[in-house]
Amino acid sequence: MIFVNLPVTDLDRSTAFYEAVGATKNPRFSDDTASGMVITDAIHVMLLTHDKWRQFTDRQIPDAKISAQVMLCLSHDSRESVDQVVARAGTAGGRIDPNPVQDYGFMYGRSYADPDGHIWEVMWMDAAAAEAGPEAFAAEAAAT
């Protein structure tokens, strides 16, 4: 399992945002300082107030709207699913496509930033192309 911990300025707003893009709040890992958000059985996001965050580290909390420490990427089953998640993020108050859209035919990716500026990449990749590797795709593309 992976637990991604993110500092947030408004816990209620961030919780609602992550629910809008498909996460489920786990009440056992949530209180007035944190929301445990379930993305999948293996991927969880802990949204932490700044005071809660400071209990774990004395490092400065960067402003994710002007600097980036990490970009997170989640795969989806189709291009349509990628577009749907990004659209839901925009409707919920996120910034759509803070990074350029990536469309390589066999791989398609978009991104959104949550209300605090944390960037999430959302991508789809053709399973057969991934199995064959980038060299096979490059050879196929050169032949056409």
Side-chain angles (χ1 to χ4, degrees), residues 17 21 86-98 111-118:
F17 176 84
V21 296
V86 172
R88 286 197 314 261
T91 299
R95 181 174 163 218
I96 294 176
D97 295 320
S111 59
Y112 63 84
D114 73 10
D116 286 281
H118 303 291

Side-chain angles (χ1 to χ4, degrees), residues 12-134:
D12 291 336
R13 176 186 69 184
S14 294
T15 301
F17 176 84
Y18 280 85
E19 288 175 328
V21 296
T24 304
K25 183 177 177 180
N26 182 341
R28 292 187 313 179
F29 295 102
S30 303
D31 59 23
D32 61 342
T33 66
S35 287
M37 307 303 294
V38 179
I39 306 292
T40 70
D41 289 343
I43 302 169
H44 300 253
V45 176
M46 292 300 300
L47 304 174
L48 306 173
T49 64
H50 284 205
D51 287 340
K52 183 71 166 186
W53 178 271
R54 288 184 186 105
Q55 293 178 12
F56 299 103
T57 182
D58 60 359
R59 290 186 173 197
Q60 182 179 8
I61 298 172
D63 182 346
K65 291 181 181 177
I66 60 171
S67 64
Q69 186 173 14
V70 65
M71 282 187 286
L72 305 156
C73 183
L74 297 172
S75 64
H76 282 260
D77 294 334
S78 68
R79 296 171 65 99
E80 295 78 15
S81 178
V82 168
D83 289 337
Q84 290 168 357
V85 169
V86 172
R88 286 197 314 261
T91 299
R95 181 174 163 218
I96 294 176
D97 295 320
N99 294 335
V101 174
Q102 300 173 38
D103 191 348
Y104 302 105
F106 73 100
M107 184 174 78
Y108 176 67
R110 295 186 61 194
S111 59
Y112 63 84
D114 73 10
D116 286 281
H118 303 291
I119 296 174
W120 288 85
E121 300 277 335
V122 186
M123 59 82 64
W124 162 84
M125 185 181 304
D126 178 276
E131 185 67 29

